[in-house]
Amino acid sequence: MATTAPVHPVDEVPPVRQLAAFGLQHVLAMYAGAVAVPLIVGGAMKLSPADLAYLITADLLVCGIATLIQCVGFWRFGVRLPIMQGCTFAAVSPMVLIGTTGGGLPAIYGSVIVAGLAIMLLAPVFGKLLRFFPPLVTGTVILIIGISLLPVAGNWAAGGAGSKDFGEPKNLALAAFVLVVVLGVQRFAPAFLSRIAVLIGIVVGLAVAVPFDFTDFGGVGDADWLGISTPFHFGAPTFEASAIVSMLVVALVTMTETTGDLIAVGEMTGRRVEPRPLADGLRADGLSTVLGGVFNTFPYTAYAQNVGLVGMTRVRSRWVVAAAGGILVLLGLLPKLGAVVAAIPAPVLGGAGLVMFGTVAASGLRTLARVDFKDNHNLTVVAVSVAVGMLPVGVPTVYAKFPDWFQTVMNSGISAGCLTAIVLNLLFNHSPSKATSAAEAGGLPSGGGEQGVQESREEIV
């Protein structure tokens, strides 16, 4: 009697009601970050409120399309893992500079299109570099991702960076209340409800926030019912050399960050990311970035905050995140719905963010727990990489006197820490002197070696 092969948890399709609840949870986790980039860039360029609203709806629409490409996939595009896509913060500074020095939005979009094409061309090259990401490096990168996101949750909990009541006790009290609700649901609720603990925490937090005047639904009434982003709404793209060069540097940074996120999700879901799927995921990033340049938005990358949500809820289905992509498309086409979500107070998101981002850091520690730290230099690799990655997070202006290209790379704690971990791992575990010492000792060095790397990765999965 024929038996059907078991379906991997990544490919399972939950019931519709669960898809909707889990998907909405992912949307709420990344919504604030998704709309922040168009708000920052548009605000720096002093765009009108109508143009700002247009940028946001266009961003949400392409966020949804990019997420669907990454999760569902077609041909050689998409890693087919639960990965949410959103605008990268690494591109904010270069885009503000391009937009405010005479190039305007057309110059930004021209450079974004070129960067997207470059990512698609370079994707196979990055796929072949996967062997330089043993558990020592991946665990360190995942740890840095989680720690570097915690200040974001802290700013939300305090009321949102730049808010007039930033740091008020009432904001922190609301964030703490949401955190307690999330933890309580996780600990005491039935299995299904515990998996949507973040969603429940946000809904309960919003219900409490309304009577205490934390919310402002004024934007809902002003928003249109229907909004469709048309190609090149702000004019045909222009291609300026300096803008393109700066955006190509951003492309390398986002590819490094996305590589770390894809590997992290692969380990959390039990489906290891091989070179070909990694290249497919990066290629989807490039295609989404090209679509961003065409449909009046910005470069796209994997969102680390949703990586934490996957680890926290243990819901590994990519179709859940695909449902979240569908919700984002609706929000992009129905601005009124987007305005409702945008009215959620920052402290509510902050309470939930503390759990999610902390989960990412804890996942990195779990990976590092399987690394051998005895009689080798692996502890030094982790220590220095985390220190370099945290430097721009703790001291945001530390590289202010350096050239723009250097700031683009090093101001991202994730890319700075990732590059440091790769270089130090090569130096201490793959250099000829180490290989020679291992041969004399009758074996591979404990922290490196191609075979040792592969065995360690297999043990993790």
Side-chain angles (χ1 to χ4, degrees):
M1 186 174 178
T3 58
T4 58
V7 178
H8 193 282
V10 169
D11 298 319
E12 286 182 350
V13 182
V16 173
R17 66 184 183 89
Q18 294 185 15
L19 274 177
F22 291 149
L24 180 59
Q25 187 170 236
H26 273 282
V27 170
L28 296 178
M30 59 82 68
Y31 188 90
V35 301
V37 174
L39 281 174
I40 294 170
V41 175
M45 296 179 63
K46 296 180 172 54
L47 297 182
S48 67
D51 285 342
L52 273 177
Y54 192 95
L55 283 181
I56 291 171
T57 54
D59 173 37
L60 293 173
L61 176 65
V62 181
C63 272
I65 295 172
T67 299
L68 289 169
I69 293 172
Q70 194 70 274
C71 296
V72 179
F74 67 93
W75 190 51
R76 296 296 302 278
F77 292 88
V79 72
R80 295 166 176 83
L81 285 172
I83 290 286
M84 286 291 289
Q85 298 285 105
C87 283
T88 174
F89 283 86
V92 169
S93 296
M95 289 192 300
V96 169
L97 188 64
I98 296 167
T100 56
T101 54
L105 287 172
I108 292 176
Y109 295 141
S111 63
V112 167
I113 291 171
V114 173
L117 294 172
I119 292 173
M120 284 193 282
L121 290 175
L122 292 173
V125 177
F126 260 70
K128 293 177 182 177
L129 298 178
L130 192 59
R131 65 191 183 94
F132 297 116
F133 286 84
L136 174 63
V137 174
T138 57
T140 303
V141 171
I142 297 168
L143 175 61
I144 292 171
I145 291 172
I147 298 176
S148 64
L149 285 171
L150 286 174
V152 176
N155 280 325
W156 287 346
S163 64
K164 294 179 181 178
D165 60 348
F166 186 85
E168 288 284 344
K170 63 175 185 177
N171 292 335
L172 295 171
L174 179 58
F177 171 73
V178 172
L179 175 60
V180 169
V181 171
V182 172
L183 295 176
V185 171
Q186 270 204 309
R187 175 62 181 85
F188 300 108
F192 169 69
L193 292 179
S194 69
R195 291 179 175 178
I196 56 171
V198 170
L199 176 60
I200 293 173
I202 290 174
V203 170
V204 173
L206 181 59
V208 171
V210 171
F212 287 96
D213 294 328
F214 279 93
T215 55
D216 178 12
F217 290 101
V220 178
D222 298 334
D224 295 329
W225 281 105
L226 183 65
I228 299 176
S229 180
T230 54
F232 307 126
H233 173 80
F234 295 98
T238 59
F239 302 92
E240 300 180 7
S242 59
I244 290 172
V245 170
S246 63
M247 205 56 65
L248 288 176
V249 174
V250 170
L252 294 175
V253 173
T254 58
M255 291 179 80
T256 305
E257 292 181 352
T258 297
T259 298
D261 290 333
L262 297 185
I263 292 173
V265 171
E267 293 186 357
M268 288 178 179
T269 58
R271 175 174 281 178
R272 192 173 73 183
V273 176
E274 302 288 351
R276 177 166 173 165
L278 174 60
D280 292 347
L282 293 172
R283 198 176 287 111
D285 259 16
L287 176 59
S288 302
T289 298
V290 171
L291 290 176
V294 172
F295 286 96
N296 320 292
T297 179
F298 307 114
Y300 285 85
T301 187
Y303 259 29
Q305 47 263 58
N306 295 88
V307 174
L309 191 56
V310 171
M312 175 187 160
T313 62
R314 299 185 297 281
V315 177
R316 296 180 280 177
S317 171
R318 61 191 172 106
W319 297 104
V320 164
V321 181
I327 294 172
L328 284 172
V329 170
L330 280 177
L331 293 177
L333 295 174
L334 302 172
K336 239 181 222 314
L337 283 179
V340 172
V341 177
I344 296 174
V348 172
L349 297 174
L354 287 171
V355 186
M356 294 186 299
F357 304 161
T359 300
V360 179
S363 298
L365 291 175
R366 183 176 60 186
T367 301
L368 288 173
R370 297 175 173 87
V371 175
D372 182 11
F373 288 100
K374 187 177 180 182
D375 299 326
N376 55 41
H377 297 284
N378 288 344
L379 195 62
T380 301
V381 175
V382 176
V384 176
S385 301
V386 171
V388 172
M390 290 301 98
L391 197 58
V393 176
V395 189
T397 58
V398 65
Y399 300 121
K401 303 295 184 184
F402 284 75
D404 290 338
W405 67 267
F406 186 90
Q407 292 185 50
T408 301
V409 177
M410 299 302 290
N411 272 343
S412 167
I414 297 172
S415 62
C418 182
L419 292 173
T420 305
I422 293 171
V423 171
L424 291 181
N425 179 58
L426 290 174
L427 175 65
F428 285 113
N429 294 324
H430 290 265
S431 62
S433 60
K434 293 292 177 185
T436 303
S437 299
E440 291 172 355
L444 284 168
S446 58
E450 198 66 34
Q451 184 179 346
V453 168
Q454 284 300 112
E455 288 175 354
S456 299
R457 290 181 65 85
E458 288 168 6
E459 287 174 6
I460 284 179
V461 175

